Amino acid sequence: MIKTAVGLSHGDDAYAVGVNACQSAVTQLGGEKPGMILAFASVRYDQEKVLAGILSVAPNVLIVGSSTSGEITSAGPTTRYSVVVMAFVSSDVKFFAAISEPLSKGAYEAGKSVIDSIKKQTTEPLSFLMYFSDPLTSNGSEVLRGVTETVGRDVSVVGASSGDEYQFKKTYQYLNNSIHSDSVVAVGFCGQVKIGVGAKHGWIPIGLPLQVTRSEGSTLRELDGRPAFSVYEDYFGSELTQQIKSEGTFASVASMYPLGIRMSGGVERLIRNPLRLQEDGSIVCTAEIPEGSEVQLMLGSREEAIKSAREAGQAATESVGTLPQAVIVFSSITRKKLLGSYAIDEINSVIESTGGTFPLIGFYTYGEQAPIQTLEKSKVGAISTFQNETVVVTVIG
Amino acid sequence: MPEEQVKILNEFVELLTAVAKEVFNASQLNDIIGNGDQKDAIAAIIGELSKEFGVSFAEVKLAHIADQLESKFSHDLFGQAIIPMLPGGFLEERRLQSLSKEELYAWVVERTRELTELNAELEEKVRNRTEDLQELLESQHKAGKLLVRRDLELSRVNEKLLELDQRKSEFLSVAAHQLRTPLSGIKWTLGMIVKGELGAITNDQKVFLMKSFESNERMIKLVNDMLDADRLESGREQSKLIKTQLLDLVDNVLCDIMPLALKRNIHVEFDRGDASLPLIMIDQEKMRAVLQNLLDNAVKYSREGGTVGISAKQEGNMLVFSIKDSGIGIPIDQQALVFTRFFRARNAQKVETDGTGLGLFIVKSIIEMHGGKVSFESKEGVGTKFLFSIKLNNE
């Protein structure tokens, strides 16, 4: 059995906030030394100071974490920037973590290297793997492929892309006392632990389908034979397009109208967020959009977003089949933007659907990696996919 | 017609009629056959059999009769005498076998013409349908574009409003900070003048100066409320949780409120329940502000001579506190805004010109900070009941 506790702290002093958040979680564990600490912090803090604060309270404890675009606890999204931690204690479960080679040297290789490093630390089979990666320097699908192909089909994999609050400049991944960028950090759970995962987005397609006529990895060059950006010009109209171009806000605006890839065998579309507009009109996305596939512009609604969070929570709880001990939520930053002051409703519907009061932690991400619901049930072995605009609920039983 | 042909035709009619008799009664059969000639009668029977039991039923029966007659007479004789009597579409294979080369050619030409016509008709339909579908898709596409554009425009306006709201909050926070020091200075100076520490003043002067002093005090309260609200919203302040008996805290706040209640002739009832409540982990100073705000509102907005009912009780694992007044109530169309900053209901503004509109925002923030929930029920002109609940074992 796993026991967990969550700590949250606000404030201006990064070190003090790290200390307070960790202290709060560790105190709730009643003196037991945590086996692992998950830490999520606002990018506005000096990341090293936050980590130093956490380590001062929990020296020699495995620490894994990520910078965010907003932190989450059972009280909902934190109102101002904060640090949240979840401390894990278990006599049945062991934790092993590692950091990858730089992603920019090869996304697949980085995903593979982080799993190889974990496998070197233990001969026991992994029960569950969670990882955080930099979405700004690589094709997220490639990273995921490197991870899943190396870890094997029997292991449930959930991932979240680190955030930096819509700046799209630099994100951070933490392992113990070191802060990294351009990397993947992963933590493997070994031993008796039940995991349930649910992932849904609830975005709906609009307008005519478009054929991907040219693409390379995560760079989408042409749709229906025209530069990819022309689709957005078409939808936004020339005046707004000019404004968005001059403000340099394409990524944050277009993330509200992402591209949905139609998949065989599923109603739910895989969503890709545009990250960067290039001079030739091509668009760099968070993960690949295969040439020949059919995409549509997608639109979100508050109601559907909240409904999909409930469905993800239900799916995760059903598949874990036991009383949850902890819940981890990764929700797209776009959902936070879409929901605005209703973002708390999304977390509340996760809490209601997972059925109770237990420690909950999470953050707003640039990308989510989990088995998407309509393709395969969230059973162990279902293949994770790279997604955007999605809420991923992980229930630990 | 040669005798052989007449014979086979008669036998055919006999056999066909026998089939018809199996499924139709005599009067139905008479109606079917009518007064036409033999060919008409055959067509009528086959038509009716097809209509009632399906074309393949009729075809099977005809084939069976054909087999019988062909073996009794001959294949050729059946072709010559019977096939021309049958309506088109039945025993087509036998019909083709009985045709001469010229007749076959004519038949093929005719069928080809029919098929070409049918094909053209279908193509026309498909073309029209495709056009309809294309139009539908295009209008859907246009609607999609309009939807995205409108959504984008609204989102951008909303973002600007949120940004403005944020700036407004920041400005208010800065303004409140900047105002506190000079307001304290004015308070201090006015106090000295009123007390005569800076020289004697007349009674008239004192009355005016006291009014200024009170106005300044109200301003200080507003500034303090604004700073409290700002601190609560930013989450900068940590709670100092202490085990507390809520009932004692209520008594304490009531002592402060009673003079105003007595002055307005308002009856305050405090239902303490049967048992004493368990101690609860709360930030005393903040919870005091919650009670102060709720009680203050209840007394302030009750009619003179009205009643304010307070109750605190344990419900399961929750402590539930309620305060009910017989006051002016909150207009239904403004109820959704009750907990927002600077909100004051229009009827409240008429009753009480002073008021910051921050009290209930502060109440909600503090209760939620304690992991609790606050709600209300209200009817304009009748009264309002505020409720909050906090978990008892929130240690």
Side-chain angles (χ1 to χ4, degrees):
Chain A
M1 192 175 129
I2 283 191
K3 196 172 151 193
T4 61
V6 168
L8 155 72
S9 184
H10 305 273
D12 294 326
D13 182 339
Y15 182 83
V17 171
V19 170
N20 289 342
C22 191
Q23 188 70 59
S24 165
V26 169
T27 309
Q28 292 170 61
L29 290 176
E32 285 183 81
K33 190 187 170 195
M36 191 265 288
I37 284 179
L38 272 185
F40 306 137
S42 164
V43 77
R44 297 194 202 191
Y45 288 120
D46 179 329
Q47 306 283 299
E48 287 191 5
K49 285 185 180 162
V50 171
L51 216 53
I54 294 172
L55 277 163
S56 73
V57 179
N60 305 319
V61 173
L62 186 64
I63 295 169
V64 175
S66 167
S67 66
T68 78
S69 292
E71 304 77 49
I72 298 169
T73 68
S74 56
T78 59
T79 44
R80 296 241 174 135
Y81 46 99
S82 66
V83 170
V84 295
V85 305
M86 181 178 261
F88 292 75
V89 171
S90 175
S91 51
D92 312 323
V93 182
K94 286 184 196 145
F95 306 92
F96 300 94
I99 191 94
S100 72
E101 296 291 313
L103 281 163
S104 47
K105 283 191 183 167
Y108 181 90
E109 289 73 19
K112 184 177 184 305
S113 73
V114 74
I115 303 302
D116 284 339
S117 306
I118 287 179
K119 283 187 166 175
K120 272 184 202 152
Q121 297 172 42
T122 175
T123 50
E124 278 183 63
L126 291 179
S127 323
F128 174 58
L129 187 104
M130 180 169 278
Y131 75 91
F132 308 108
S133 62
D134 190 333
L136 305 178
T137 56
S138 60
N139 169 356
S141 297
E142 277 291 302
V143 180
L144 180 62
R145 255 196 296 279
V147 168
T148 48
E149 286 180 16
T150 317
V151 82
R153 280 210 65 159
D154 295 341
V155 184
S156 273
V157 173
V158 167
S161 305
S162 309
D164 72 347
E165 292 180 18
Y166 270 124
Q167 294 175 57
F168 300 107
K169 284 183 184 149
K170 197 166 190 184
T171 71
Y172 304 92
Q173 297 76 42
Y174 322 144
L175 177 64
N176 295 327
N177 58 354
S178 56
I179 307 285
H180 305 260
S181 288
D182 187 29
S183 66
V184 186
V185 63
V187 57
F189 291 49
C190 284
Q192 287 296 310
V193 61
K194 285 185 176 164
I195 302 288
V197 183
K200 286 282 278 183
H201 60 71
W203 247 249
I204 47 166
I206 43 164
L208 294 173
L210 304 154
Q211 188 89 21
V212 178
T213 40
R214 203 150 72 88
S215 77
E216 286 150 33
S218 53
T219 305
L220 178 62
R221 298 209 177 273
E222 281 177 11
L223 286 169
D224 278 355
R226 297 194 299 151
F229 180 63
S230 65
V231 173
Y232 282 98
E233 269 179 314
D234 219 24
Y235 272 90
F236 293 170
S238 55
E239 200 184 320
L240 279 169
T241 305
Q242 278 314 315
Q243 280 180 28
I244 290 163
K245 267 185 162 174
S246 64
E247 292 164 0
T249 52
F250 171 69
S252 79
V253 172
S255 68
M256 297 301 285
Y257 315 97
L259 297 166
I261 310 174
R262 192 202 285 268
M263 296 178 299
S264 58
V267 187
E268 190 100 320
R269 280 163 171 74
L270 256 190
I271 297 192
R272 294 286 179 262
N273 269 357
L275 264 185
R276 222 169 24 248
L277 171 63
Q278 309 202 112
E279 275 190 8
D280 60 356
S282 62
I283 295 170
V284 179
C285 297
T286 44
E288 69 198 7
I289 301 189
E291 211 166 88
S293 59
E294 202 181 89
V295 297
Q296 262 172 299
L297 224 64
M298 307 289 283
L299 193 66
S301 84
R302 221 156 61 191
E303 215 169 83
E304 287 297 319
I306 289 167
K307 192 175 131 205
S308 55
R310 186 163 44 247
E311 288 169 355
Q314 274 163 359
T317 314
E318 276 167 24
S319 62
V320 80
T322 169
L323 197 68
Q325 298 299 320
V327 175
I328 302 173
V329 181
F330 298 125
S331 179
S332 164
I333 175 143
T334 314
R335 300 174 76 85
K336 186 186 179 196
K337 193 173 170 189
L338 173 77
L339 290 165
S341 57
Y342 295 87
I344 189 166
D345 292 350
E346 178 180 59
I347 306 307
N348 282 341
S349 59
V350 169
I351 293 172
E352 280 161 26
S353 60
T354 46
T357 49
F358 29 73
L360 182 148
I361 193 178
F363 72 89
Y364 290 103
T365 66
Y366 281 163
E368 307 76 42
Q369 296 93 57
I372 198 157
Q373 231 57 59
T374 49
L375 276 184
E376 273 183 279
K377 274 280 178 194
S378 52
K379 59 180 189 265
V380 170
I383 290 190
S384 290
T385 48
F386 185 98
Q387 299 155 50
N388 284 123
E389 325 293 32
T390 301
V391 56
V392 177
V393 180
T394 305
V395 170
I396 301 175
Chain B
M1 189 186 276
E3 195 183 331
E4 277 290 285
Q5 285 191 12
V6 175
K7 204 173 167 192
I8 191 170
L9 183 59
N10 286 339
E11 277 202 37
F12 175 77
V13 172
E14 218 171 279
L15 287 168
L16 187 64
T17 313
V19 170
K21 276 181 181 164
E22 286 170 21
V23 290
F24 301 117
N25 62 35
S27 97
Q28 280 173 326
L29 195 59
N30 276 337
D31 288 345
I32 293 165
I33 294 169
N35 298 321
D37 61 12
Q38 234 172 350
K39 191 174 177 180
D40 290 341
I42 291 169
I45 292 172
I46 294 174
E48 206 56 32
L49 285 174
S50 307
K51 203 171 115 194
E52 287 295 318
F53 305 100
V55 173
S56 48
F57 174 83
E59 177 76 15
V60 168
K61 292 290 177 192
L62 285 173
H64 184 64
I65 297 171
D67 288 344
Q68 277 178 284
L69 296 178
E70 276 173 356
S71 65
K72 187 171 176 186
F73 297 92
S74 77
H75 179 75
D76 289 347
L77 189 62
F78 187 86
Q80 289 158 17
I82 309 300
I83 292 292
M85 305 295 277
L86 298 177
F90 290 95
L91 301 183
E92 280 295 305
E93 211 174 306
R94 284 181 164 85
R95 192 191 301 272
L96 289 177
Q97 285 164 4
S98 69
L99 292 182
S100 67
K101 194 180 163 191
E102 289 73 22
E103 283 169 329
L104 197 61
Y105 178 77
W107 187 88
V108 170
V109 169
E110 179 58 19
R111 287 291 168 278
T112 310
R113 192 189 56 76
E114 279 175 20
L115 278 174
T116 313
E117 269 178 27
L118 201 65
N119 191 41
E121 213 173 289
L122 276 174
E123 273 181 356
E124 177 68 17
K125 274 188 187 162
V126 168
R127 206 168 24 248
N128 289 341
R129 201 75 196 94
T130 311
E131 276 169 18
D132 286 353
L133 204 63
Q134 196 60 35
E135 267 176 40
L136 208 65
L137 280 172
E138 267 163 27
S139 67
Q140 190 208 358
H141 190 55
K142 264 187 206 157
K145 276 190 203 170
L146 284 176
L147 182 65
V148 167
R149 225 167 277 182
R150 179 53 59 90
D151 186 76
L152 183 56
E153 282 166 4
L154 288 174
S155 309
R156 287 172 71 82
V157 170
N158 192 34
E159 267 169 38
K160 286 209 174 100
L161 286 174
L162 285 173
E163 207 183 301
L164 280 177
D165 189 53
Q166 179 68 25
R167 274 198 218 151
K168 189 191 76 184
S169 299
E170 281 163 10
F171 167 76
L172 283 173
S173 163
V174 171
H177 275 284
Q178 297 297 325
L179 279 172
R180 195 147 78 159
T181 316
L183 287 174
S184 302
I186 293 170
K187 177 181 176 163
W188 181 68
T189 314
L190 284 175
M192 279 170 59
I193 299 173
V194 170
K195 284 180 197 157
E197 288 172 14
L198 299 178
I201 53 169
T202 66
N203 275 349
D204 282 352
Q205 285 171 329
K206 198 171 180 178
V207 169
F208 279 108
L209 283 168
M210 278 308 290
K211 279 188 181 162
S212 305
F213 187 84
E214 279 164 18
S215 298
N216 192 55
E217 284 288 278
R218 283 202 297 274
M219 203 110 88
I220 288 174
K221 183 174 182 325
L222 170 68
V223 165
N224 282 339
D225 280 355
M226 279 164 65
L227 291 172
D228 281 349
D230 189 51
R231 265 200 300 273
L232 284 168
E233 200 192 19
S234 69
R236 280 200 298 271
E237 219 170 44
Q238 297 284 322
S239 296
K240 297 175 206 92
L241 301 181
I242 298 169
K243 273 195 176 174
T244 310
Q245 174 55 258
L246 189 77
L247 297 176
D248 293 344
L249 201 58
V250 177
D251 280 337
N252 202 298
V253 175
L254 271 176
C255 283
D256 292 348
I257 298 286
M258 280 319 282
L260 179 64
L262 289 171
K263 193 173 151 194
R264 304 202 61 224
N265 191 24
I266 287 162
H267 182 55
V268 179
E269 285 172 358
F270 184 14
D271 174 12
R272 293 160 160 276
D274 298 332
S276 73
L277 292 172
L279 298 183
I280 183 167
M281 290 291 279
I282 50 175
D283 183 313
Q284 290 186 347
E285 203 184 313
K286 292 198 175 72
M287 197 52 78
R288 193 186 155 81
V290 168
L291 297 168
Q292 184 95 37
N293 272 306
L294 291 176
L295 283 164
D296 213 40
N297 281 351
V299 171
K300 235 170 21 189
Y301 297 118
S302 275
R303 292 202 174 72
E304 290 223 10
T307 305
V308 168
I310 305 165
S311 130
K313 56 187 175 200
Q314 183 177 354
E315 282 181 14
N317 190 27
M318 306 296 281
L319 188 149
V320 181
F321 179 88
S322 75
I323 175 156
K324 188 181 175 191
D325 65 42
S326 51
I328 56 172
I330 304 159
I332 189 134
D333 61 312
Q334 293 195 300
Q335 292 191 356
L337 300 167
V338 159
F339 293 113
T340 54
R341 280 199 298 179
F342 301 113
F343 169 75
R344 296 201 63 216
R346 53 178 169 269
N347 53 350
Q349 290 178 32
K350 282 183 201 155
V351 175
E352 179 77 37
T353 46
D354 283 347
T356 61
L358 286 166
L360 291 174
F361 172 78
I362 291 172
V363 166
K364 186 168 189 271
S365 305
I366 295 174
I367 294 296
E368 285 178 356
M369 184 186 262
H370 284 82
K373 285 208 165 104
V374 59
S375 61
F376 69 93
E377 297 154 12
S378 183
K379 200 169 176 193
E380 196 174 356
V382 178
T384 305
K385 182 182 183 182
F386 274 92
L387 286 141
F388 69 77
S389 54
I390 298 181
K391 250 193 207 166
L392 279 170
N393 59 349
N394 63 343
E395 295 173 40

